[in-house]
Amino acid sequence: MTNLPPPAEELRILDAELRQLDLRRAVLLRRRAWLVHTLRAAAAPQPAQGTGAAPGGPPAGAAARRPETTAPGVQNVLLVLGGVLLTIAAIAFTLVSWGHLGIAGRSLVLGALTVGALGAPVTLLRRGLRATAEAVSGLATALTVLDAYALHEVAFTGADGVGYTAAASAVLAALWAAYGVRLGLFHPLPLAVATAHLPVLLWAIAVGAGPLPLTAVLLATAAGGTAVALRAVSAPVRVVAVVGALGTGAVGVLSAGWLCWSASDPGSAARAAALLVVAAAVALMTGRFVPNREVAVAAAAAAGLCLVAGSAGVLRVSVPGEWTVPGCQLFAMLLLAAERTSLPLPLRQGLVRAAAAVQGFAVLWAVPLVAGSVLGPAVQAVTPWSGAPRTVRDAVFAGVPAPAHASTVPLVLAVVAAALVVAGRHTPRRPAVMVVALVLGWAAVLVLPVALQLPYTAGLVTQAAMVVAALGLAVRSDRADGGPSPLALTALLLAILTSVDLALLSLASESATIGVLVTLTVLFGAAGRRPRHAPFTVPAALAHATALACALGASAGLRPPHTALLVLVVPAVAALIASRSSGSRATVPVEVAGAAAGLLALALAVPDPPMLALVLSLNGVVAAATALRPERRAVGWAAAVLLPAAAWVRLAAWEVGTPEAYTLPVTGPALVVGYLRRRRDTAVSSWTAYGPGLAATLVPSLLAAWDDQHWLRPLLLGVAALAVTLVGARLRLQAPLVLGAGVLALVAMHELAPYLTQVVGALPRWVPPALAGLVLLVLGATYEHRLRDARRLREALGRLR
């Protein structure tokens, strides 16, 4: 036996099938028109080869042109344009020319237009002119709106505008819906659905409803739109219903949330929370019946957030403020119970995502206290050793108000960390989840002394214990995984960050500073014995040792330049450690830490030039010792800069102004080094071996001699340049020969310049041009010979080494 549906249901099914057939017929008609056009274009005569046009046919190229639009497209444009123009004309008639007719004329004209526009599509549909019927029906719907306006202006002038609009929108929505269903037209139904969102809301506004009833109306309207969207067959109707439901639903949920969280008593909060529960129910029903999986997950997530927001709003006015966020976490945890229910999988996934989102919001709420606990101790560096405060919070938030309701922040972070640990056991992303859980757990312990306002000493002990625990976890993680792991790396970074925070926090007290820095130096130094951790722990130990040296100098009453000598112990130790661990991953980080300590020592010694010279020389010795290693030969350049700089600073401190005192100590060692290098490698150029050393003295001395009014410096410089030139010529070395000869020539020119000036001044003015012309003539006459001599000179210099 065949189960026949009820007549009403069968009629709805038949109407839907007919609408689908109409849609299919319109598509096929458009396709047929395109095919006919294509066949006609193909059957058109082609132009003759090599001629401008076929006899009696269109001009050349006309047959190859394709039309830029199709006949159905032209038809639609014309119909839409005609309907728009008629609608504009009707609006202009109603608003402008209405007063020129009497009541009978007005009613007769507008009524006749409306009846005609509503009835014309019936005849057009019978003749198969569906597009024209759609255009005329659009005009008819616009006329019905004008009828409603005219009716208000004539018959209901005393009616409230908002109330009349609500009634008119309800009547028009029903009329358009019946009209569209009866004739099978496309646009009246979406228009009716869009208009149906207005009546109840406008009616509530008209009767002066308060925020709570208005919110309920918005949610009810959203529920109705959702029902229409789930049951509608036509795509335009579904789109309009979805947009309307989302718009009214979003406004309703936001309004309910604001009413719930701004309520001043539990009763008001509970009433607003009830509306959020209604919104959650609508969202769950939507997710239950919607075919799209992603939409179902999003709807369930929205439902979960609404439930948590409503529950937390009631909780906010019922318990102290610091327990509101933990209460939200508790309600979010209850959503996880949906995993053990028989709800569809998308709904369960959405509720789980809502719970995760709530936990994320809770973590964001805790960020201000965590950031203050990490960055706040840096304030102690401005006024170090100003006295130990009473509590940790006073040291962290010195002069700055602490975040409100912060006492439950450790609990919030600990709950999220524990949830991640439990949830990450059976997930393929377990390493990443464990890293996040570790960071949250570290943050919970870090802010615990601040949240509980523990004594200052207790805060220092807590952070020191955190450093030890983090280092221990790093060691244990490596043992468990058999190699470096993200968890171990994170633990090391957290240990270093905590140690920096602890060192800054200890600056409030002198004894605490020295004790903490000693402890951290020893602790990280011991952890550096493990090769896997050495690239992190050994530089950290050196950094804390540097800070310890500064603290010891300040505690002993030493001036910063003298404290620099204590700091120089760190670069020396770093160089020793790097030499013993050469080739390992810790070598470069250790050397970088030592170099940073050396730069700090230089900065401390700048105010005292004699001490600066000593620090430069000691840094140069450390660099020279480092350069003894074969893979660090390049560091020798740093030593070559630091050691002369030390000598120059010492000379400047003695107020020595003679440049040779600065350059000769550089030239001598440089020439010795160049000589030894050429003995070991005969392929080295003389410019590489002797050029820098000779230029270091000859060039500054030449510049000084150029402005020197006495005869001694030019004489000595000339003798030295002559000696260098003779040595270069004797040994056939290019660099000494060129540099010595050039300097000697410039010195001679400098010495002869006054006499040449007198001679030139005594000669008539025509003599210099005449001499210049004579020289040019001589050069022109011997041009080829001079070029040959110049080429020989260049070849001779090229043969030198």
Side-chain angles (χ1 to χ4, degrees):
M1 297 296 292
T2 302
N3 295 324
L4 296 177
E9 181 65 20
E10 185 177 2
L11 178 61
R12 189 187 66 80
I13 295 174
L14 290 177
D15 289 338
E17 293 293 335
L18 289 174
R19 285 194 294 273
Q20 294 296 329
L21 289 175
D22 290 337
L23 288 172
R24 182 61 179 166
R25 184 174 183 276
V27 172
L28 293 176
L29 286 174
R30 287 194 294 270
R31 180 64 178 173
R32 180 182 181 279
W34 182 83
L35 291 173
V36 169
H37 174 75
T38 303
L39 291 174
R40 288 176 180 174
Q46 301 295 328
Q49 185 75 18
T51 61
R65 292 197 193 99
R66 299 183 63 182
E68 296 182 356
T69 183
T70 61
V74 175
Q75 166 191 295
N76 293 334
V77 170
L78 293 176
L79 291 175
V80 171
L81 182 59
V84 170
L85 291 176
L86 288 174
T87 303
I88 293 174
I91 294 173
F93 170 76
T94 304
L95 298 178
V96 178
S97 301
W98 187 253
H100 299 291
L101 300 175
I103 184 63
R106 304 176 204 173
S107 303
L108 180 61
V109 172
L110 197 55
L113 288 175
T114 305
V115 171
L118 290 173
V122 178
T123 305
L124 294 173
L125 288 174
R126 289 175 182 174
R127 300 194 175 199
L129 303 176
R130 172 166 291 276
T132 307
E134 289 286 347
V136 176
S137 65
L139 174 62
T141 54
L143 288 174
T144 55
V145 177
L146 294 177
D147 288 334
Y149 167 74
L151 188 62
H152 177 267
E153 293 296 321
V154 173
F156 300 99
T157 55
D160 177 61
V162 179
Y164 179 80
T165 305
S169 59
V171 173
L172 289 176
L175 176 62
W176 292 339
Y179 184 68
V181 172
R182 180 67 181 84
L183 298 183
L185 297 173
F186 294 150
H187 86 278
L189 283 178
L191 192 59
V193 172
T195 309
H197 287 79
L198 300 177
V200 181
L201 179 61
L202 293 176
W203 174 80
I205 295 174
V207 298
L212 195 66
L214 282 176
T215 302
V217 168
L218 286 171
L219 294 177
T221 304
T226 302
V228 173
L230 292 175
R231 295 185 60 85
V233 178
S234 175
V237 173
R238 284 200 305 271
V239 170
V240 172
V242 167
V243 172
L246 287 177
T248 54
V251 175
V253 168
L254 292 176
S255 176
W258 178 79
L259 291 173
C260 186
W261 280 81
S262 62
S264 57
D265 59 275
S268 302
R271 287 190 291 272
L275 295 179
L276 289 174
V277 172
V278 171
V282 173
L284 285 176
M285 292 299 295
T286 303
R288 174 67 177 82
F289 293 104
V290 73
N292 189 291
R293 181 180 179 277
E294 294 298 328
V295 174
V297 172
L305 292 176
C306 288
L307 292 174
V308 173
S311 304
V314 176
L315 183 67
R316 187 189 66 84
V317 294
S318 304
V319 298
E322 59 268 17
W323 291 100
T324 301
V325 176
C328 293
Q329 285 187 295
L330 176 61
F331 293 128
M333 293 295 181
L334 295 178
L335 293 179
L336 298 177
E339 283 286 347
R340 301 184 179 275
T341 63
S342 59
L343 289 174
L345 179 60
L347 298 186
R348 285 181 281 156
Q349 290 179 341
L351 292 175
V352 171
R353 291 185 183 182
V358 172
Q359 303 301 331
F361 290 142
V363 172
L364 291 177
W365 172 76
V367 164
L369 184 63
V370 177
S373 300
V374 173
L375 303 177
V379 180
Q380 299 296 331
V382 179
T383 56
W385 298 352
S386 58
R390 187 176 60 87
T391 64
V392 180
R393 179 177 292 189
D394 297 333
V396 172
F397 295 97
V400 178
H405 308 304
S407 59
T408 56
V409 169
L411 176 62
V412 170
L413 295 174
V415 168
V416 179
L420 287 176
V421 171
V422 174
R425 292 179 179 177
H426 307 292
T427 177
R429 299 179 180 179
R430 183 176 180 274
V433 173
M434 291 297 105
V435 167
V436 176
L438 175 60
V439 173
L440 292 176
W442 167 83
V445 180
L446 180 69
V447 301
L448 183 62
V450 180
L452 300 182
Q453 300 188 35
L454 296 181
Y456 175 72
T457 305
L460 296 179
V461 172
T462 301
Q463 291 198 359
M466 289 176 63
V467 175
V468 175
L471 292 175
L473 179 61
V475 174
R476 182 179 178 183
S477 299
D478 275 351
R479 287 177 180 174
D481 298 336
S485 65
L487 190 63
L489 179 60
T490 305
L492 284 174
L493 295 178
L494 291 178
I496 295 173
L497 179 59
T498 309
S499 67
V500 173
D501 198 60
L502 174 59
L504 292 173
L505 190 64
S506 67
L507 289 176
S509 172
E510 179 179 353
S511 58
T513 301
I514 296 176
V516 165
L517 291 176
V518 169
T519 303
L520 292 177
T521 302
V522 173
L523 187 61
F524 280 97
R529 299 179 61 184
R530 294 184 60 85
R532 294 173 183 169
H533 301 162
F536 300 94
T537 54
V538 176
L542 293 174
H544 291 305
T546 303
L548 176 61
C550 295
L552 291 176
S555 178
L558 300 178
R559 295 174 54 247
H562 295 85
T563 304
L565 297 178
L566 295 177
V567 176
L568 281 177
V569 176
V570 177
V573 174
L576 179 61
I577 295 173
S579 64
R580 298 188 60 183
S581 63
S582 180
S584 67
R585 292 187 298 119
T587 303
V588 174
V590 168
E591 291 174 341
V592 170
L599 291 176
L600 176 61
L602 290 176
L604 293 174
V606 165
D608 190 347
M611 190 60 65
L612 177 60
L614 178 59
V615 171
L616 284 169
S617 62
L618 293 177
N619 271 321
V621 171
V622 173
T626 303
L628 295 177
R629 292 156 48 196
E631 71 277 9
R632 291 292 183 267
R633 296 299 189 198
V635 184
W637 291 101
V641 172
L642 291 171
L643 292 174
W648 294 344
V649 171
R650 171 55 66 180
L651 291 173
W654 288 338
E655 299 181 355
V656 175
T658 304
E660 288 77 11
Y662 296 87
T663 58
L664 287 176
V666 177
T667 296
L671 293 177
V672 172
V673 171
Y675 173 74
L676 295 176
R677 185 175 181 184
R678 278 183 59 84
R679 285 189 59 185
R680 187 168 58 250
D681 185 3
T682 56
V684 176
S685 170
S686 63
W687 286 102
T688 303
Y690 304 120
L694 292 174
T697 293
L698 292 177
V699 173
S701 297
L702 178 62
L703 296 176
W706 202 261
D707 290 334
D708 196 345
Q709 302 299 324
H710 303 283
W711 59 272
L712 182 59
R713 186 191 301 275
L715 176 62
L716 295 178
L717 180 59
V719 171
L722 177 62
V724 170
T725 303
L726 294 177
V727 171
R730 176 69 179 82
L731 301 178
R732 300 178 61 82
L733 297 177
Q734 190 178 102
L737 180 61
V738 173
L739 289 175
V743 172
L744 183 60
L746 291 174
V747 170
M749 185 182 300
H750 173 265
E751 293 302 311
L752 294 176
Y755 304 102
L756 292 176
T757 302
Q758 293 178 3
V759 171
V760 171
L763 292 176
R765 293 187 177 182
W766 57 267
V767 173
L771 291 177
L774 183 61
V775 170
L776 291 177
L777 288 177
V778 173
L779 288 177
T782 59
Y783 182 73
E784 183 177 1
H785 182 67
R786 299 307 176 195
L787 284 180
R788 185 169 60 253
D789 292 343
R791 190 178 303 111
R792 290 175 180 173
L793 177 61
R794 184 183 62 187
E795 292 174 355
L797 287 175
R799 287 192 296 270
L800 299 179
R801 292 171 291 173

